[in-house]
Amino acid sequence: MVSIRQLEEYASEHNVPIMLKDGIEFLCDYIKKNNVKNILEIGTAIGYSAIKMALVNKDIKITTIERDVERYNLAIENIKNFNLEKHIMVILDDAFNVEFKKKFDLIFIDAAKSQYIKFFEKFKVNLNNNGVIVSDNLDFHGLVKSNKEISSRNVRGIVRKLRNYIEFLENNEEFKTEFYSIGDGIGVSKWQSK
Ligand code: SAH
Ligand code: MG
C-alpha cells in the first residue's frame, strides 16, 4: 500500500479498526500546534495512524507497539513504502512486556479497549512533564454514552471497561482530562501536578 487512501480502503475491507478521519485529523492538528516530537503509540495495526502522525513534519519520531504479527508485518511494509523507517519504529510485542527508560511528549493509547487503565498506569512514567496521553474510542460507536441494551456479551464488557476508564480519568488526581466527541471519542490527559 503506497497511499493513505489505500491504507483506509484496506482497513475498511479487512475490518482493521484504524482511527476515524476526523479523529486522526484532530490528533495531527494537536501534534502540529503543540510541537510534539516524540510519540509512543500503543496499537499500531497496519501503521495508518503512525504514518499520518509522522507525515505532520520530519522532526517527529514515533515508537509504536503491535502484538499481532500479521499486522506488524503489514505496518513495516507500509512504513517502508512511505519512506518513514527512520521516523517510525515498530515493536512486535504485547505492550505489557515493553519497558522504556525514555519519556515521550505524547502517548497515544489505541489498543485493547478493556486494558486502558492498565496502559495508562503503566506508561504514565514515560510521559514528559508537559506531555499528554491521548486515548481513542472512548465513545465506542456511541455505545458508551447510550443506555441501549447491548446484546453481545463481549461488546458489553468493552463498554463497561471504557465507562470505568472514563470514570478513572474524571476522578484522577494526577491528570486532568478533556473529552472530545470527535471521531470515536478522544480523551486528552495532562498532568495537573507537575
Ligand atoms: N492506531 C491504529 C489502530 C490500532 S487498532 C490506527 O489508528 O491506525 C488496535 C491494535 O492494537 C490492534 O492491531 C491490536 O492487535 C493491537 N493491540 C491490542 N492490544 C495490544 C497490546 N496489549 N499490545 C500490543 N498491541 C495490542
Ligand atoms: Mg482507535
Side-chain angles (χ1 to χ4, degrees), residues 12-158:
S12 127
E13 278 161 26
H14 296 82
N15 293 317
V16 181
I18 62 169
M19 266 203 122
L20 295 176
K21 271 191 187 164
D22 47 347
I24 187 68
E25 238 166 72
F26 170 86
L27 184 56
C28 288
D29 241 42
Y30 186 93
I31 289 167
K32 202 185 284 177
K33 285 187 184 136
N34 294 279
N35 208 18
V36 170
K37 296 278 183 270
N38 287 300
I39 301 172
L40 170 63
E41 176 181 67
I42 322 292
T44 318
I46 60 169
Y48 173 76
S49 52
I51 289 170
K52 288 284 280 186
M53 292 190 283
L55 290 173
V56 170
N57 76 56
K58 59 177 177 8
D59 299 330
I60 293 171
K61 289 261 190 280
I62 303 174
T63 302
T64 177
I65 312 174
E66 175 55 55
R67 67 181 173 189
D68 180 277
V69 66
E70 261 179 58
R71 287 186 176 172
Y72 166 86
N73 285 331
L74 274 170
I76 293 288
E77 187 187 311
N78 292 330
I79 290 161
K80 214 166 160 194
N81 290 341
F82 278 81
N83 291 315
L84 289 169
E85 310 96 299
K86 293 207 177 94
H87 299 272
I88 305 172
M89 184 185 54
V90 193
I91 298 172
L92 172 63
D93 208 335
D94 191 298
F96 291 111
N97 297 330
V98 183
E99 303 276 342
F100 297 101
K101 286 207 180 88
K102 61 179 285 192
K103 297 203 175 187
F104 299 89
D105 304 322
L106 186 149
I107 297 177
F108 177 42
I109 303 179
D110 193 21
K113 310 306 162 215
S114 54
Q115 313 274 329
Y116 273 21
I117 296 181
K118 280 169 72 184
F119 291 132
F120 192 101
E121 291 290 30
K122 175 175 165 68
F123 290 110
K124 69 182 185 191
V125 295
N126 297 108
L127 187 67
N128 279 327
N129 287 355
N130 55 359
V132 284
I133 300 184
V134 176
S135 319
D136 189 32
N137 305 101
L138 299 187
D139 291 345
F140 207 60
H141 319 291
L143 293 171
V144 170
K145 286 180 188 152
S146 139
N147 42 24
K148 217 170 47 193
E149 224 173 287
I150 301 164
S151 53
S152 151
R153 190 164 168 260
N154 180 29
V155 173
R156 209 158 52 227
I158 291 172

